[in-house]
């Protein structure tokens, strides 16, 4: 058993989630490589120190360059605003250090492209954590095995309602493309689409702001986006994402129909996945509600009992395990920076399509 | 209490459903006007006589003109293949007789337009029965009352799987636009969209055949269709319809998000409608599963008890009641032929859009 | 095709339901024997005439003896208060006429015993309609086939909330054992238990009034009842019934566990039945939500399409079909008066057990 | 921020869960008192060392007395077989050390009584973790506030199927009362009943072995248990627990009806709780599916986003937080040893009742 010092840049929502994950992952998965909470970086010395104490790091800094360069920091997790992703990642890779970067990767398509180039030859991973639920990992496995035959239709959504109230005030979330629905929320479900179905060849999208004015200011980014898409496999699909979808809290959902069966999932009940198989007597056919358990990917080490249930934090711990495995073996673990770039290209095509009102190729 | 002789043209699936409905509606709704099963028409004398006996009509014929012209037939129900709709309706209206015509209305947009013209001044109704569930009637009522605020998103589908098996043989269903998904299945959900949301201004559609060859022949119509749409109200929407959607039996479903709430419905559980309202403490907000009962439209006369449940046939009985009311009052009851034409125009725009790959106005 | 005149005694809730059923059943099931709505009986001439017109009967009377004796009445349906069941049934059987009697059968165990004796050699049937849903008929079929192995546990409930409000006034429903939960509501689910699991050998019950005083008077019957029971097969079970179970509208539900699988049903979604089978890979095991359709008992003639859905009235129509079949063939169709008596014996044992606080044998 | 050394006796299923929880809890809840994984004890030196490495403890031992007596161990968690609970707890309390003991507490009623006595004046807690889901904590809060009025009915179950297969071999689980359903599984749901409803005054129970012989040996404990119960509040209830309930994985479920509303919960979907309130128009009444989120107890610090979902491990982390709070404040946190004893008394009454076939008081 060897140890590696972890440095996390950013102490907010995801910085905390990764800190908890690194504290727990060794015991959960009995990893060969063990993380040590070495250094946390935040925007000021005071907040960095606060995060250090709260999350249990050895040291704190307000200078991400110091963190990246530190000898005791063996791997870097980037949990900052998007505009800093590229610079930090490039600095870490320049020193040969493994990097896990939060999604979506970089603040622009150019950033994402540069990051993939910089990552060449280094361990890299992008933080699309939702796809790591045992349910979605199992869905991918079913699809790979051909359990539902040839796919004929794909529909997915990532819908939440945190800005559904038109009277919710303008904040940083309502400014800048990167913080809008297409920049921040939709990438999650684009990534799921790619993970489940393979590459998208072209899209026809609408990116729209529903509430242009909010108390405190103008809204300068979008509230929801829909797109019809065509996968390289030839399959027709539709994806919707919204931050104003009243009633939806974690509408990370997909429905996949095939010639021999179908799969349905909605992350609002993340421990269930629904499988239909057109086989056996018609009288007993239907969607089977499968509760994830020890028979499903990455479930047992964590929860042990069927029906015990995984939660959001568990996905981050699975992610931490995969990052450690990547570091240990030197083999990239999906989703890599290249996968993050693929998402960025879908975002770019969707924006082009929405502006032109025409179908646009994904590069 | 007065009586009216009912003549039904067509003894198949829907001919039977209307016959049962006319036999039962008087007792269920205690209608002032009472239907008498006067005459049934089918393609041959033998089958007409068989239907007469089975359904309980007084007389039978294989000549629809004789049925329409018969003095004891006071109202005509058209349950034939689409290509006969127009001619029969025109003949009945020429004699001033009320007509209920099965959906979709006519075999072409031109037919539908001609039928609306012929219907002028006469009682007319088109058989979109699904919208008559107490649940969907209640949804319309909630929307009309503004219960969920301003609408921001609409998604609907009509998905079944009766041709999901690629080895299902070619039949009349796999030939001719009118029998395809866009011609036969999608109109149901287009009608629901119009009923719930008002007129559609433009669409961007894909109409696609998934399985081109089936045992016994080529497939000459489409298997599924999706479209992004824009309502005249400005709301963005998406509609999908499929006959190859494995696992779906009665996927007549919609989700409507508004600024103050949301509505969800899936006809596979036709006695439940889900309502979310953004009000009261956040800790108690959620989708409420409302079981339709006496408090909802048209439920009580039929089933009396809450939770007792309505079924498919009940919708046809409600439809029969509304047709009788229209006859009695001389007032059209929704959906009229004009509503049927509105659906036909959406179908037409969808076909144009799919061929051109561009947005198309509805008219 | 021959015809039979139907006489219905009682024009209330169930009188109407049976009238509608008899009007529709011929067309739905293409029955060989066709019912004719011959005569309706109610407590006064005026109400009888009103029902006659509303339901479409040929004649009306306020004298049930006249109805039973009438030459044109070939079969009698008893939909009166329980205290009249016995006398009417005995009179009809004395004339050799088939009888369908509403549940629960008779006003006492003695009534039920006498009615079984009187029914000997005659067509007889008792109106436990809920068990006729395609879902529950399918459950019986699955159990008969051993689809879930040896049964190890049975739980059922019939829960509604029509008296859940303590401020709901005292009415005839709150007076007399026969109108209480044990007398009126629980028999439905006792019948289901017997139908699904076979005879019950002993029970340990609690029969309780929750709200003793209501506006307008004292409550003299029970609000809810629970009982542990032991089936003759040796299986352990539990049954609960309530009229004060807030939130439940049609909680006619059961869960049956076996060595090889399990079945779950709740009539609030009457078109779905859930089946678990312990077979195949563990990773794909789960409860399958089966939507009833043409592959299930008695579904196709009525609704034809899978997922189209049956409702409460449909059960009564299936019942009407079975009654006609019994008349035509002279063979009893389940549930017969003997089955109705079996339910009465469970009620009796439950009352004895609740009074004594001890286990009581059924019989 | 101060630190406390944690010693855990037992490295199996629950030993691991507590280790992970103690590693993560500080970061999740930003606790004032911080746990240090000081020492782990297992049955052999080898296994203890293995757990030490895997879970990340500083030291290992095979002598629980050494662990308890160790100066650097400030608090003890007992995760051993039940028969050791008492002795370890007494030793720890004798040294004034706080103890969290796994459920069910002790191997007998006498053990539980002795443990409560020993715990007097010391921080003590028993590991009924399921009640710590945000959903169940919220249910308790709703009940305390009277949100559903006066309770009229309580039903609960803890049903799993890990021994549903009659061919599953005999193991330690099939030997000894403490490992049977009444000894091991049922206490979870008895504890929930007490937590939600208050004390139980008497029970009428059946404790039964379904499969007496298994490959490899005789079964000497029970497979399932049901009991009718009467709460001190006067409310009637029923509880069922089973390890042979095919299809159920985490059937930790309850339904509570009150005069003004109802609550339903099933831990197989642990992030949803269903609330019915009899208020407002009847047409909009129904069970509301509430997804737990930041508005519910103990949710936000862990998961932050609504709908993000908690899992089994999260309950243990909440438990760890509560244990640390108890240590820090010196105030007991529910459930204490006294609560554990209350459960043991229900178990005892159920066993007495099952043997005698009569109602038995709970002490």
């Amino acid at each position: 058993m060897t140890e590696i010092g972890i440095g996390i840049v950013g102490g907010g929502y995801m910085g905390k989630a990764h800190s908890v994950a690194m504290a727990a992952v060794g015991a959960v998965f009995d990893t060969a490589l063990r993380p040590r909470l070495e250094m946390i970086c935040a925007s000021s010395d005071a907040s960095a120190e606060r995060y250090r104490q709260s999350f249990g790091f050895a040291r704190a800094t307000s200078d991400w360059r110091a963190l990246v360069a530190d000898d005791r920091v063996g791997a870097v997790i980037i949990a900052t605003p998007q505009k800093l992703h590229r610079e930090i990642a490039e600095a870490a890779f320049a020193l040969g250090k493994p990097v896990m970067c939060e999604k979506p990767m970089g603040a622009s398509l150019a950033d994402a492209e540069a990051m993939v180039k910089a990552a060449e030859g280094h361990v890299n991973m992008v933080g699309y954590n939702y796809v790591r639920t045992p349910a979605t990992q199992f869905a991918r496995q079913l699809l790979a095995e051909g359990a539902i035959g040839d796919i004929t239709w794909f529909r997915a959504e990532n819908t939440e309602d945190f800005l559904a109230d038109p009277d919710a005030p303008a904040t940083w979330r309502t400014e800048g493309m990167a913080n809008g629905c297409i920049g921040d929320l939709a990438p999650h479900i684009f990534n799921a689409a790619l993970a489940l179905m393979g590459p998208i060849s072209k899209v026809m999208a609408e990116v729209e702001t529903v509430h242009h004015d909010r108390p405190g200011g103008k809204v300068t980014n979008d509230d929801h986006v829909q797109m019809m898409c065509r996968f390289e496999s030839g399959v027709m699909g539709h994806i919707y994402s919204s931050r104003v979808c009243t009633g939806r809290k974690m509408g990370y959902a997909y429905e996949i129909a095939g010639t021999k069966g179908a799969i349905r999932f909605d992350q609002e009940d993340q421990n269930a996945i629904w499988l239909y198989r057109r086989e056996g007597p018609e009288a007993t056919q239907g969607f089977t509600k499968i509760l994830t358990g020890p028979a499903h990917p990455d479930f047992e080490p964590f929860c042990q009992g069927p029906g015990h249930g995984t939660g959001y934090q568990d996905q981050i711990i699975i992610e931490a395990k995969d990052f450690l495995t990547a570091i240990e073996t030197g083999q990239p673990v999906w989703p890599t920076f290249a996968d993050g770039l693929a998402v960025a290209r879908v975002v770019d095509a969707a924006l082009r399509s929405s502006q032109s009102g025409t179908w646009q190729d994904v590069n």
Side-chain angles (χ1 to χ4, degrees), chain A residues 131 140 154 187-201 231 239 334 338-346 362:
Chain A
V131 286
R140 293 186 75 202
F154 175 84
H188 264 303
I189 200 68
F190 292 166
N191 179 64
L194 298 171
L196 293 160
M197 296 288 293
I200 293 171
S201 58
F231 291 92
I239 300 175
W334 176 92
D339 298 303
L341 173 57
V343 172
R345 286 183 170 145
V346 174
V362 178

Side-chain angles (χ1 to χ4, degrees), chain A residues 198-221:
Chain A
I200 293 171
S201 58
K202 58 175 186 166
V203 306
M204 173 74 216
E206 293 188 283
V207 180
E208 186 182 64
T209 306
V210 174
H211 304 299
H212 291 274
D213 296 283
R214 290 181 176 276
K218 289 270 172 201
V219 173
T220 64
N221 53 25

Side-chain angles (χ1 to χ4, degrees), chain A residues 131-331:
Chain A
V131 286
R132 293 192 189 279
T133 53
T136 292
Q137 291 190 69
F138 183 55
R140 293 186 75 202
Q141 186 180 308
L142 286 169
L143 292 169
E145 293 166 6
I148 63 167
D150 297 327
I151 307 310
T152 55
W153 169 246
F154 175 84
R155 192 183 76 75
E157 66 184 70
N158 191 357
T159 42
E160 307 194 12
D161 69 356
F162 56 85
L163 283 170
D165 183 353
D167 295 329
T171 66
W172 63 270
R173 282 191 171 282
T174 55
E175 277 176 41
M177 190 276 281
N179 298 318
C181 182
I182 185 80
D184 182 43
L185 207 56
H188 264 303
I189 200 68
F190 292 166
N191 179 64
L194 298 171
L196 293 160
M197 296 288 293
I200 293 171
S201 58
K202 58 175 186 166
V203 306
M204 173 74 216
E206 293 188 283
V207 180
E208 186 182 64
T209 306
V210 174
H211 304 299
H212 291 274
D213 296 283
R214 290 181 176 276
K218 289 270 172 201
V219 173
T220 64
N221 53 25
D222 67 298
D223 285 319
H224 67 167
V225 52
Q226 75 166 323
M227 74 184 198
M228 307 200 300
C229 62
R230 187 64 61 165
F231 291 92
E232 284 188 8
S233 61
V235 175
M236 188 167 99
H238 182 260
I239 300 175
Y240 178 62
S241 186
S242 173
R243 65 187 186 184
V244 295
C245 196
T246 305
R248 292 295 260 162
K249 307 304 176 187
M250 181 42 71
Y252 181 89
Y254 48 82
E255 301 170 1
I256 311 173
T259 49
K260 295 181 180 167
I263 291 171
R264 306 185 81 174
F265 175 71
D266 188 336
Q267 195 142 319
E268 288 189 353
D269 183 5
Q270 75 171 62
N271 292 292
I273 184 158
W274 298 74
L275 173 64
Y276 185 101
R277 282 183 297 185
R278 194 166 50 69
E279 67 181 29
E282 193 184 326
T284 54
Q285 288 178 19
F287 276 94
T288 298
K289 184 182 184 179
I290 300 166
L291 297 178
T292 50
H296 301 107
D298 278 336
F299 188 95
E300 191 165 22
F302 201 88
C303 299
Q304 297 172 318
H308 266 181
T310 61
Y312 174 71
Q313 181 65 54
D314 302 357
Q315 298 149 223
I316 319 292
I317 295 177
I318 295 170
E319 189 172 63
K321 180 261 294 174
D322 289 340
F323 186 45
L324 293 173
T325 301
I327 294 170
E328 203 196 354
T329 62
Q331 299 302 314

